Amino acid sequence: MKSNTLAILILAYCILVACTRTSPNAQLVQADSLMQKFPDSALRFLQKIRPEELNSLEDRAYHALLLTEVKDKNFIQQTEDSQIRIAVQYYDSIKDIPMQAKSYYYWGCIRRDQNNHPEALKKFFTAITHAQNISDNKLAGYIYNNIANLYLLQRLNEQADSIYQITERLAIQEKDSNLLADVLSQRGMIDINRGKEYYSEAEQKILLAFKISRHIAQRNLMAKTAYSLSLLYGRMNMGKEAVEFAKLSLNNQDNVKMLYRGYLLLGDAYYKTVQYDSALIYLNKALYSRDHSTKAGIYMRLADIAQKQGKLEQALEMERKYSAYLDSAQQKQQGAAIVITEKNILIQRKQSEFKTNLGQLYYYITTGTAFFLALFLVLLKCYKKKVIYYKQKEIEMGKKLEEVLRQKNEQISFLQKEIALHHYSQTEKQTLKEELHILKTERQALLKESYEHSEVCVKMKRIIQSYKKTDKSNERFDEEDWKQLIAETDIRWNDITIRLAAKYPLSQDEIYLCCLHLTDIPTSHFRYLMECSRDAIYKKGKRILEQKMKCTDKSISLREFLEQFL
């Protein structure tokens, strides 16, 4: 009994633990709330939290993510990824997609700071996949921006600009002024690299970015856009403006890493305004930079100044250092590695999608095939029923028409005999003749209806409609069809083809043309059935009238002549 009670208590405890979800540490939530507007305060707050205060895996992962994020926002270069790995492993294990997106994004930022651009690109692509799955367009914008920055660093300008355009659309959609200003500034830099003909476009983009950064009072963004403007005006030989914006960039720069590039920019601007002493001050300040590309630019300018001042030995020494640092910077270029990484990522993604969807594909193919086969069989059965129904209707209609025609013919024959054999008064004869005329008219209408429902007439209409729609037809009017047309014409018009052939020396083709003229088909459509030009049809009709039928009246047509012959 005691063992049963103990088992129940243990089971109840397990259920309680499983169903209870601990809420995140309140201090972490508070630090997260400070992240966007006060990243420096958030950093100090997080640094005060002691490890023993983080009681759960969730808290430790959340703390690791926030600490990585806040350092990135405070422009602290991170080369160690042990913290962010804690977050990635935890959020991957519980499949928390929003947090997975952020974790992989900041892991990519660390790889970027390590100058391991191919690995950074892998992390960013993983992050963008998660962000798109939850439609987090704001985060997606920042991820795309970082991807484009990596391309731009490797001078893959076209690829960078295409990604920046996506980022720009997302920034506008999310009304993110910070991101929009940053993107416009970067796109302006691409235009600068394209050459003089693009300087005007570059100026428009960067001035708009500078205006936005001033409006939102974002110091680092102002520093970045002012830097871009100074670089542009330096290229445009507007030295005064280049110096002004270079100073503005330095005054607003909080990022130490960017500070040395700012010194180089201001030194370069002073050099272009022939203020060599001022240029030397800032160029020497910039020498503390560890970036080989920046140092190459510094030594290039120092060599130029030494040469201008007649210090040839110093100029040669500066040029030697310039070449050394330039070679080193070029060796660090990872453009080819990034392109290979991108291809590998796309291949892996496609393979993963293929494996994931293979089962579904088989299911959809099997289900779809079965469905369409069943649908086809049903439609085929319906079609056959419909064909049989219409054929029966045609047969019934044909029989009715034949019966009515037989009756009309008998009535006409009877009236003709009555008029010929009996001596009726003039009034009675006139009445009988009128009755006979009505019967003949009704008979003609029945014959017309019978002709219009005939197979040959229906086929002629199909061929004509096909030519009118597509200028071609899969069917053609063959010899059997012409024989059927002659038979139908003779039924309708009292053996007219026999009478025409007896009176005029007409060829087979000329008989065919006469039959077509006795239908209701326009003359312009005859060419579709006789497979010749419209002009040939008119010439043939004229030749029949003039040479075969000896008709001298030029105003009469073949159709009119045939109607008189009836």
Side-chain angles (χ1 to χ4, degrees):
M1 185 69 180
K2 286 182 179 180
S3 60
N4 287 340
T5 305
L6 182 61
I8 292 168
L9 288 172
I10 291 170
L11 180 61
Y13 174 76
C14 291
I15 293 169
L16 184 64
V17 169
C19 296
T20 304
R21 180 180 174 85
T22 57
S23 52
N25 186 298
Q27 294 180 88
L28 297 178
V29 174
Q30 189 174 352
D32 199 355
S33 67
L34 295 169
M35 188 73 69
Q36 299 303 321
K37 291 188 177 181
F38 309 104
D40 51 342
S41 300
L43 178 59
R44 289 193 295 271
F45 197 92
L46 284 167
Q47 287 173 336
K48 290 178 183 177
I49 299 174
R50 296 188 304 276
E52 55 268 24
E53 295 179 67
L54 306 171
N55 298 319
S56 64
L57 278 174
E58 181 184 9
D59 287 345
R60 287 193 286 275
Y62 193 22
H63 177 264
L65 175 58
L66 290 177
L67 195 60
T68 307
E69 181 180 356
V70 79
K71 285 180 180 179
D72 185 75
K73 290 186 181 297
N74 282 283
F75 307 106
I76 298 170
Q77 190 169 3
Q78 301 178 78
T79 56
E80 177 57 49
D81 64 356
S82 57
Q83 282 288 313
I84 196 63
R85 282 177 182 272
I86 295 170
V88 169
Q89 288 170 5
Y90 175 74
Y91 294 122
D92 277 349
S93 69
I94 64 169
K95 306 296 182 187
D96 188 332
I97 297 176
M99 301 304 272
Q100 281 178 295
K102 287 185 73 173
S103 299
Y104 276 99
Y105 168 61
Y106 286 107
W107 198 2
C109 292
I110 292 173
R111 293 299 192 198
R112 176 201 64 202
D113 290 349
Q114 292 172 340
N115 286 323
N116 189 345
H117 296 166
E119 280 300 314
L121 198 63
K122 285 182 183 177
K123 307 309 177 193
F124 287 141
F125 270 109
T126 305
I128 200 68
T129 303
H130 291 310
Q132 287 172 339
N133 285 338
I134 56 171
S135 301
D136 189 343
N137 291 331
K138 191 175 183 69
L139 179 59
Y142 282 93
I143 300 169
Y144 276 127
N145 197 42
N146 273 274
I147 292 170
N149 288 341
L150 292 180
Y151 284 132
L152 188 59
L153 281 172
Q154 304 306 319
R155 298 174 185 173
L156 302 169
N157 292 341
E158 294 303 319
Q159 293 95 319
D161 194 50
S162 65
I163 303 296
Y164 279 133
Q165 288 178 43
I166 297 170
T167 311
E168 187 177 336
R169 288 196 293 272
L170 290 171
I172 293 168
Q173 181 181 322
E174 295 297 311
K175 299 178 181 178
D176 191 327
S177 300
N178 279 9
L179 184 59
L180 180 59
D182 190 44
V183 170
L184 289 170
S185 177
Q186 295 295 81
R187 291 194 68 200
M189 292 291 284
I190 290 173
D191 286 337
I192 292 171
N193 293 332
R194 283 174 174 167
K196 291 181 181 180
E197 60 270 27
Y198 292 93
Y199 284 172
S200 177
E201 291 179 36
E203 186 177 24
Q204 287 178 13
K205 289 185 180 87
I206 301 170
L207 280 173
L208 178 56
F210 181 69
K211 184 179 178 182
I212 294 170
S213 67
R214 288 186 67 179
H215 178 71
I216 61 177
Q218 233 289 356
R219 280 174 52 83
N220 281 294
L221 202 50
M222 284 175 65
K224 186 172 187 175
T225 52
Y227 178 94
S228 300
L229 283 170
S230 177
L231 184 67
L232 173 63
Y233 289 135
R235 297 277 183 92
M236 294 170 73
N237 296 318
M238 297 169 63
K240 184 181 176 182
E241 289 81 358
V243 170
E244 178 188 341
F245 280 104
K247 286 180 178 178
L248 188 61
S249 177
L250 279 171
N251 291 337
N252 288 280
Q253 188 60 261
D254 294 330
N255 188 344
V256 177
K257 188 179 178 182
M258 297 297 295
L259 199 62
Y260 297 116
R261 288 179 62 188
Y263 288 143
L264 169 59
L265 184 70
L266 184 55
D268 187 64
Y270 276 127
Y271 166 79
K272 287 177 179 176
T273 56
V274 201
Q275 299 180 61
Y276 297 142
D277 291 339
S278 297
L280 286 169
I281 292 169
Y282 287 100
L283 289 171
N284 284 315
K285 281 186 176 184
L287 280 173
Y288 289 99
S289 172
R290 293 182 181 179
D291 181 66
H292 289 188
S293 180
T294 303
K295 283 201 168 186
I298 296 165
Y299 283 117
M300 182 186 73
R301 278 290 168 250
L302 288 173
D304 291 339
I305 293 170
Q307 191 173 11
K308 299 273 186 188
Q309 292 176 338
K311 300 174 183 178
L312 297 181
E313 287 186 15
Q314 187 179 347
L316 287 170
E317 177 63 17
M318 295 299 107
E319 283 183 5
R320 186 187 64 79
K321 289 184 177 181
Y322 160 69
S323 298
Y325 278 109
L326 183 63
D327 289 343
S328 180
Q330 286 175 345
Q331 286 173 10
K332 288 188 176 182
Q333 287 290 319
Q334 302 172 59
I338 279 185
V339 172
I340 293 167
T341 299
E342 183 182 24
K343 286 181 180 177
N344 290 338
I345 289 168
L346 291 173
I347 290 167
Q348 288 170 8
R349 186 178 291 180
K350 290 295 179 186
Q351 287 174 342
S352 176
E353 287 176 2
F354 178 75
K355 287 177 182 177
T356 303
N357 296 326
L358 194 59
Q360 291 181 345
L361 184 65
Y362 285 142
Y363 170 76
Y364 288 135
I365 289 172
T366 306
T367 308
T369 304
F371 172 76
F372 283 113
L373 183 61
L375 182 64
F376 172 75
L377 293 172
V378 170
L379 291 174
L380 183 64
K381 191 174 181 181
C382 291
Y383 173 75
K384 285 182 177 179
K385 280 186 177 180
K386 205 170 185 180
V387 168
I388 292 167
Y389 171 76
Y390 280 117
K391 280 189 176 179
Q392 287 175 344
K393 290 285 284 183
E394 282 181 14
I395 291 166
E396 288 173 9
M397 185 178 286
K399 286 180 179 179
K400 285 180 182 178
L401 284 171
E402 285 177 9
E403 179 59 26
V404 173
L405 276 170
R406 188 187 63 75
Q407 290 175 4
K408 293 295 178 187
N409 285 331
E410 287 178 356
Q411 289 174 358
I412 289 167
S413 178
F414 174 76
L415 283 174
Q416 286 173 337
K417 287 177 182 177
E418 281 291 306
I419 294 168
L421 295 174
H422 295 86
H423 300 287
Y424 291 105
S425 66
Q426 196 65 31
T427 305
E428 287 173 329
K429 280 185 178 182
Q430 184 61 36
T431 304
L432 288 171
K433 283 180 179 179
E434 287 175 1
E435 191 176 340
L436 181 62
H437 176 73
I438 292 167
L439 285 169
K440 284 181 177 181
T441 304
E442 288 176 353
R443 177 180 176 273
Q444 195 60 38
L446 287 168
L447 287 169
K448 182 180 179 182
E449 187 178 353
S450 176
Y451 163 76
E452 286 177 350
H453 284 90
S454 66
E455 288 184 17
V456 69
C457 182
V458 171
K459 185 174 181 179
M460 283 194 295
K461 288 177 180 177
R462 276 202 313 269
I463 293 171
I464 291 166
Q465 284 301 315
S466 180
Y467 269 104
K468 285 169 74 175
K469 285 181 180 178
T470 62
D471 202 31
K472 64 180 180 180
S473 175
N474 295 326
E475 297 180 283
R476 64 185 302 273
F477 219 61
D478 55 29
E479 189 176 346
E480 287 302 315
D481 295 318
W482 286 116
K483 287 178 181 179
Q484 186 63 31
L485 178 61
I486 290 170
E488 292 290 342
T489 305
D490 283 340
I491 291 170
R492 187 177 175 190
W493 301 111
N494 298 323
D495 298 324
I496 187 170
T497 64
I498 297 169
R499 290 187 284 121
L500 282 170
K503 189 170 182 179
Y504 304 112
L506 299 174
S507 67
Q508 197 68 30
D509 279 353
E510 288 169 343
I511 292 289
Y512 295 162
L513 184 58
C514 290
C515 288
L516 288 175
H517 274 295
L518 291 169
T519 65
D520 298 324
I521 298 170
T523 310
S524 59
H525 294 165
F526 291 178
R527 60 197 172 103
Y528 302 139
L529 303 169
M530 300 195 77
E531 297 180 358
C532 60
S533 67
R534 184 189 292 188
D535 188 50
I537 297 288
Y538 285 112
K539 284 181 179 177
K540 189 178 286 188
K542 189 177 180 183
R543 188 167 60 251
I544 292 170
L545 274 173
E546 292 176 357
Q547 296 178 13
K548 300 292 179 76
M549 295 177 174
K550 307 298 181 184
C551 178
T552 56
D553 188 354
K554 303 236 182 236
S555 64
I556 195 168
S557 67
L558 180 57
R559 185 187 290 270
E560 290 168 340
F561 185 89
L562 291 170
E563 286 173 354
Q564 291 175 7
F565 192 80
L566 294 174

